[in-house]
Structure formats: C-alpha cells, structure tokens
Amino acid sequence: MQAYLIFLQTAIPELWAGTLITLQITLVALIAGFFIGFPAALARIYGGKTLSAISTTYTEIFRGTPVLVQLFIIYYGLPQFGITLSAFMAAYVAMGLNSGAYQAEYFRGAIQAISSGQMMAAQSLGMNKLKAITYIIVPQAFRLALPAWANEVVSMVKVTSIVYLTAVPDLMTKAKILSSKYFNPIETYLTAAVFYLIIIGILSIVLNYIEKVSRIPGLEMEGEAR
Amino acid sequence: MVEPIIRLENIHKAYGKDEILKGISLEIQEGEVVVIIGPSGTGKSTLLRCINQLTVPNKGDVWVDGVELTDPRVDINKARRHIGFVFQDFNLFNHLNALNNVSIGLKLVLGLTPEKAKEKALLELDRVGLKQKADLFPGQLSGGQKQRVAIARALAMDPRVMLFDEPTSALDPELIGEVLEVMQKLAREGMTMICVTHEMGFAREVASRIIFMEHGVVVEEGSPEHMFTRPQYDRTREFLGKISELYGKQK
C-alpha cells in the first residue's frame, strides 16, 4: 500500500497530463465529427441522389472499417503520397472522420424519426424547406439524437486510447510508459482505468443534465419510450 | 358571376397505378363553406392537399385567389401563406409552446417583429379560447386544445381560405364539440372554408354546399337541404344514411 501511494505521487501528474491529451483528442474528434456528420445526415436525407450517395458511401466506409486501420492509413500510409501528418493531426483526422460517420447515422435516424406532418405543417404556413428544416425539424432532431450522441462521446473517450500506437502521449501511452518504468502493470493500468472511469462519469453527468434541461415539457413519456 | 376564390380544373392524381383523383373540377366562391364527404380512400384529403400543393397533382390546374398554383413559376411558399391548413393529427410543432406555434409563422414567414408576432398570436389564441394555455407545450394539451391551437396557427397568417382535413377524426367524442364550435364561429364570420369531415351536424348547420365524393370523382353536390332530403343518386342517399347512423346520433 505504502509503495502504491509513493508510486501515485509520480503517476498522477503523468496520468493527468495524459488525460488532458485524451480529452483534447476526444473534443477535437467530436467537434470535427459533428461538422462532418450533421451535414452528411442532411445530405443523405435532403440532398438528392448525388449528395445522398456520397454521404452514404462515406458513412459506410468509415463505419465498416476499424478505426485503427483508418488511423494507420492516415498516419503511415499517406506519407507514401507525400502527405505527412503529425501524430496529433493524424489522430484528429482519423477520429474526426470516424466519429463523423457515426454521428451522421445518429442524426439521420433522429431526423427521420420526426413525423412528416411536421414538415407539411411548416410548409402549409409558407415556410420554405430550409426554414422548415432549420426551425422545425432540426431542433427536434437534436433532442432525439442526444442519447445516441452521448453514447458517442463516451465511446470516443475510450477509442482515443488507440493513439498509443502512433505514440501520441495520451492517458494510455502515459500508463504504458509508467508500467514499463516501474514494472507494476496491475497498479498502473488499474489507476489508468480509474482515470477513464472518472472522465466518463463526469461527462455522463453533464450529458444527462443537458438531456434533462432540453427535454420538451409534456413529451417525457414519448422520449423515454424511444 | 364573381371570380371564384378557388378553382380546380380537371385534377388528376395517381400514386403509381392507383388513381386517387380522376378529374375533379370545382369552383368555390368567397365566403362559401364547402363540406366534402365520402367513404375513406376516395381522395378527399388528397384533393384538399392538391389545393395548397402539399400534394402536387399529375394533371389539372389549381387557382387560388387569382393565382395559378400549378404554374411552376409561381412561388408556392408565398401562395401557401394565405391558405390555412388544419390537419387531422394536428401537427403542432412539438418543441414549441402554444404561443410560439402560432407566432413562428408570423416571425419566419411574414417577418413580424417578435413583439408584434406575440401580440397577434395571443389574439389568435384568444379567438379559439386558449389564451390562458399560451405557455403550454403540445404534449401538455388535450386533443381538442391541440386542434384549436392548430386552427389559431393557421388563422394567424390571415388566410383567404381555410382547409380542414378531417379536423375532428382523431379526437375523443367529448372533445369534438369545442373544435366544431370554433369552426362554426369562423364560418359565421364569413371565412371561406373547405372541410373534409364526417360531422353531419356541422355540415347540415354550417355548409353552404356539400360535395359527395367517391372513387376519385364528385358523385353529387348540392345544398345541405338537397343532399339530406332529396339526393339525386341512390349512392348518395345510401352513404348519408350510413353516416348519419354512425355519427348523427351523437348530436
């Protein structure tokens, strides 16, 4: 126990530094994923044949291949074409594209779950399609997508640990270094696991709170049944 | 004769091989209340939706207030502003309270300032007797209240005509009255209305004309008196007999 406490004194600052990197990659990936995935969902539903096909191809490719393969193609493969990305940039691009594909599917599902009557009612008032989508469909779809999106956040925190394989100094990489240095894998990795748990616990509380405050009064029952 | 406010000419609509409307022509004068009746699946709702182009007919012309809506050069969004439409299942915007359901069109479509839109929306809610429910969301309203908000939402746009697509069919029997009352009041105020409905009491009292449709064509039309007492066709009599049996007794 004494030894573990002494170990923690060195480990915690290291793991904390790694945690910040993990959070940074998660955040960038989620934001990039949103700005790719949400338009991709709109393109798939409202975009007509060509845009819809492009969007579908993108989501199928990035959901259909392991994110590690994607990361390696971007980090190790692209230099063959003269495109060399830093380990960080490669992580952002791979994670962002991957998350975008998943987010596209979540938003598509949410938009399609809104009854067609909402669009008709908006149009019957004289709203054009863009206004109807912006002010009627999307605000409802975002709320519907929130539980799935929260899941994506949690999943992304964990998935980022693969950047260990491209030597980005994230939480996992820091743990691996500590473990090699002190020859105590069980202490190190359990501590790292606790770090992941705490990150995800805090994020879950925040996301639950957002879900709660954005809930539409009177629709709770329906929302929960979904 | 005065120019009709709505003129339909030879409207055809088919979904695949399924021909829903087989050449309907109709003229409606300003201030008329026209009730369309007929068995389900005969294209009554489709016809109504063809008027504001929520459904685009395969063939035929639609004129509303002197504008040909079937003309591809016409800005349909602009034309729809003044054609009120009330849906069977309300279609209130679920994420907006009653007030904002009514005011959103005023703000986004007619460009009113938020204050002006709110003022007008409250006025319209008052007109349907729901001013005190302005802050409630659709999920917190009864079916009858939802439909009255939906009517207020349509009325707020100052429509030239109001189209009602079975406005009471999704309601519990005890909630139908409050919606019909609002519709009767509108009719008395001189609003031009086309209502697809099975409410024969309403048709008898308020309609200036009843149209009986079946299999995508108009079988017979006439004044309520004509239709209820001496319809020309057996099919009309048969249908009206059946419908009065089903719905009339409640009145």
Side-chain angles (χ1 to χ4, degrees):
Chain A
M1 195 63 204
Q2 192 73 30
Y4 178 62
L5 288 177
I6 291 166
F7 164 70
L8 276 187
Q9 282 183 356
T10 7
I12 286 179
E14 284 295 306
L15 293 177
W16 174 245
T19 299
L20 292 180
I21 303 288
T22 291
L23 286 175
Q24 184 183 326
I25 297 171
T26 305
L27 193 70
V28 173
L30 286 171
I31 292 172
F34 175 83
F35 284 104
I36 298 167
F38 180 56
L42 292 176
R44 177 118 179 225
I45 296 171
Y46 301 110
K49 263 198 184 131
T50 318
L51 282 177
S52 172
I54 292 171
S55 167
T56 309
T57 311
Y58 157 67
T59 46
E60 290 311 317
I61 288 174
F62 280 88
R63 286 190 328 138
T65 53
V67 61
L68 186 57
V69 173
Q70 294 161 17
L71 178 64
F72 276 20
I73 289 172
I74 288 165
Y75 186 59
Y76 294 117
L78 288 186
Q80 271 182 266
F81 299 101
I83 305 167
T84 306
L85 299 177
S86 70
F88 269 97
M89 193 46 88
Y92 295 152
V93 172
M95 301 285 167
L97 283 170
N98 187 264
S99 182
Y102 282 95
Q103 292 191 43
E105 285 298 276
Y106 298 147
F107 288 123
R108 178 174 73 95
I111 291 169
Q112 285 175 339
I114 311 274
S115 95
S116 61
Q118 296 283 310
M119 174 60 89
M120 277 198 287
Q123 289 184 317
S124 80
L125 291 177
M127 281 188 216
N128 59 32
K129 220 163 179 184
L130 184 66
K131 276 185 182 161
I133 292 169
T134 311
Y135 294 99
I136 305 299
I137 307 296
V138 167
Q140 296 185 59
F142 273 173
R143 289 176 169 92
L144 275 185
L146 207 48
W149 199 81
N151 205 34
E152 172 69 11
V153 174
V154 167
S155 153
M156 187 50 67
V157 172
K158 295 178 289 182
V159 168
T160 54
S161 62
I162 63 161
V163 299
Y164 151 69
L165 291 159
T166 52
V168 174
D170 78 326
L171 180 51
M172 178 61 199
T173 307
K174 292 287 190 186
K176 175 70 184 162
I177 293 168
L178 285 168
S179 153
S180 312
K181 203 162 156 191
Y182 297 97
F183 303 108
N184 57 351
I186 190 73
E187 289 89 339
T188 313
Y189 291 125
L190 278 179
T191 310
V194 169
F195 269 72
Y196 278 111
L197 262 181
I198 293 171
I199 299 173
I200 286 168
I202 292 170
L203 287 174
S204 296
I205 290 168
V206 172
L207 288 162
N208 272 331
Y209 177 75
I210 294 173
E211 239 178 89
K212 208 166 135 192
V213 296
S214 67
R215 203 167 272 177
I216 300 163
L219 271 188
E220 280 94 335
M221 298 308 287
E222 276 177 56
E224 269 155 21
R226 279 196 182 97
Chain B
M1 190 143 164
V2 209
E3 178 71 11
I5 189 152
I6 295 178
R7 187 150 61 86
L8 304 181
E9 241 176 63
N10 196 24
I11 300 295
H12 285 263
K13 180 68 192 176
Y15 291 104
K17 282 200 174 128
D18 209 4
E19 221 184 346
I20 306 290
L21 298 175
K22 300 172 186 166
I24 301 243
S25 296
L26 207 61
E27 285 193 354
I28 286 151
Q29 301 294 333
E30 196 160 359
E32 258 195 305
V33 177
V34 173
V35 168
I36 302 177
I37 58 172
S40 49
T42 43
K44 306 180 302 277
S45 297
T46 307
L47 181 69
L48 213 57
R49 282 173 193 195
C50 280
I51 296 177
N52 75 347
Q53 304 286 300
L54 280 179
T55 296
V56 180
N58 301 118
K59 212 178 111 185
D61 299 336
V62 176
W63 293 75
V64 177
D65 208 9
V67 180
E68 191 198 338
L69 304 191
T70 32
D71 184 339
R73 288 165 302 181
V74 163
D75 180 356
I76 188 64
N77 296 316
K78 211 167 171 186
R80 281 190 189 126
R81 288 176 189 178
H82 302 299
I83 306 173
F85 200 102
V86 176
F87 299 85
Q88 178 176 352
D89 38 12
F90 329 125
N91 290 336
L92 287 182
F93 305 130
N94 290 317
H95 62 305
L96 301 176
N97 65 20
L99 180 73
N100 288 328
N101 259 282
V102 180
S103 67
I104 191 165
L106 298 171
K107 285 185 279 195
L108 290 183
V109 179
L110 299 183
L112 265 62
T113 62
E115 299 79 42
K116 279 259 162 57
K118 186 181 172 185
E119 200 179 306
K120 174 116 169 80
L122 281 172
L123 215 72
E124 297 298 340
L125 282 175
D126 198 27
R127 219 167 144 190
V128 298
L130 287 174
K131 196 176 175 181
Q132 73 287 2
K133 305 278 184 193
D135 295 329
L136 295 187
F137 285 78
Q140 299 168 314
L141 298 170
S142 73
Q145 291 168 340
K146 278 187 215 174
Q147 195 59 298
R148 281 149 68 197
V149 172
I151 293 172
R153 176 174 71 179
L155 286 177
M157 307 296 287
D158 289 327
R160 300 276 289 130
V161 297
M162 284 285 283
L163 311 177
F164 292 87
D165 186 7
E166 303 207 31
T168 57
S169 297
L171 296 176
D172 290 335
E174 75 267 24
L175 301 176
I176 291 174
E178 58 188 85
V179 173
L180 289 181
E181 233 169 79
V182 169
M183 290 170 65
Q184 272 160 354
K185 197 171 115 198
L186 261 185
R188 276 199 304 273
E189 287 167 13
M191 177 63 76
T192 309
M193 294 162 64
I194 305 180
C195 316
V196 173
T197 182
H198 294 298
E199 293 300 325
M200 288 305 126
F202 175 81
R204 199 188 287 264
E205 264 177 59
V206 181
S208 23
R209 189 155 38 121
I210 296 176
I211 293 173
F212 175 51
M213 258 179 85
E214 190 169 40
H215 304 312
V217 294
V218 172
V219 176
E220 186 167 3
E221 60 174 294
S223 67
E225 203 231 331
H226 166 88
M227 295 294 271
F228 281 110
T229 55
R230 45 184 162 77
Q232 196 181 342
Y233 294 96
D234 289 344
R235 187 65 194 102
T236 312
R237 188 174 304 124
E238 195 188 322
F239 178 79
L240 278 170
K242 212 178 270 172
I243 214 91
S244 312
E245 231 173 76
L246 278 172
Y247 295 88
K249 297 258 165 72
Q250 292 158 6
K251 283 259 125 190

